[in-house]
Every structure is written in structure tokens, then in C-alpha cells.
Amino acid sequence: MEVKYELILATDPCEVFKHFGVEEMHGVSLAECQAYNNTKEDAYIAGLCNVNPHNLKDLFVFINLSRCNNDVETVMLLFHEFIHLASNLHAGNWAEKEEEMLLIAERETLKTFQAIKKIIRY
């Protein structure tokens, strides 16, 4: 199954708001993000999976690269967001699609992890 979503990678958690040109979306706000003490150990947004705030249907996954401090943390962050992605793709049908959801999350985690390893060094 081909999965369609927009992948957004940035080292600043506030970049996801700038990417979409919005002040708020999905219960989070740019002002709160800017006021938060974002560090490599803690951030307002480590990752986010949701729908495009402009059309409310196209999915995106945002990964805050500043929270990718080692392989384990990176894989856990990716897998967490890709489980959200898989659950969005199979909303209301989790019991029947559980294995497919896990396979989607695993595949997208591996693919994205390999790409991230090419652009960041811990």
C-alpha cells in the first residue's frame, strides 16, 4: 500500500507553523511554540502527524530534528508519529487493520530514518 503524506523535517519546532503559514492548528500555536524553551531534550513539538490545516484532508508528518539525539530516540520519535499516520489512514478500522498499520509505521520509520541519517550527525 502506497502511503501519501507530506514529510516536513526541521530543526525548529515552530517551522511547522511557518510551513503552513498559520498561527494555530490542531490545538497547538505558534506563539506558545515561540515562548517555549525548546532544547534537544524538550520541545513544544517533537513530532506531529495530522491533516493539512488548509484542506483538512491531506496528511502530514512533522519531525523536529533537534529531538533526534541518537538512533534510539530518532526511531522512537519516528515510529510514534508513523503510528499516528497509520491510525489516520485506517480510522475506525483498527482491529481489522492492525497488522497493516504496524507494517506502514515500520516501513515509513525505516525509510525516514535512513533519510535523516544522511543529513544529521549526533
Side-chain angles (χ1 to χ4, degrees):
M1 170 183 193
E2 183 180 343
V3 180
K4 293 187 180 188
Y5 64 95
E6 181 177 10
L7 179 63
I8 306 162
L9 304 174
T11 56
D12 177 359
C14 302
E15 193 61 38
V16 69
F17 298 98
K18 297 170 188 172
H19 177 81
F20 289 112
V22 297
E23 298 288 318
E24 294 183 353
M25 67 175 161
H26 313 306
V28 293
S29 78
L30 176 59
E32 289 178 8
C33 185
Q34 291 170 329
Y36 200 90
N37 183 27
N38 293 296
T39 68
K40 68 179 194 168
E41 289 84 28
D42 187 33
Y44 184 68
I45 300 171
L48 181 64
C49 175
N50 217 308
V51 293
N52 180 313
H54 297 295
N55 66 24
L56 300 178
K57 67 173 191 163
D58 295 332
L59 294 167
F60 73 88
V61 173
F62 169 74
I63 301 297
N64 177 355
L65 294 174
S66 69
R67 293 297 309 277
C68 297
N69 298 311
N70 58 55
D71 287 352
V72 172
E73 288 179 16
T74 302
V75 167
M76 289 176 59
L77 173 58
L78 293 173
F79 192 72
H80 178 101
E81 295 309 324
F82 288 121
I83 284 290
H84 284 301
L85 177 72
S87 68
N88 277 305
L89 293 169
H90 295 296
N93 198 16
W94 296 347
E96 294 177 23
K97 296 292 187 172
E98 179 182 25
E99 192 64 29
E100 185 175 332
M101 290 171 56
L102 289 168
L103 290 172
I104 289 169
E106 290 170 353
R107 183 182 65 238
E108 297 305 311
T109 295
L110 179 60
K111 180 172 71 175
T112 306
F113 178 72
Q114 291 170 334
I116 287 173
K117 289 292 282 185
K118 292 178 182 176
I119 60 174
I120 66 170
R121 300 284 181 252
Y122 308 123

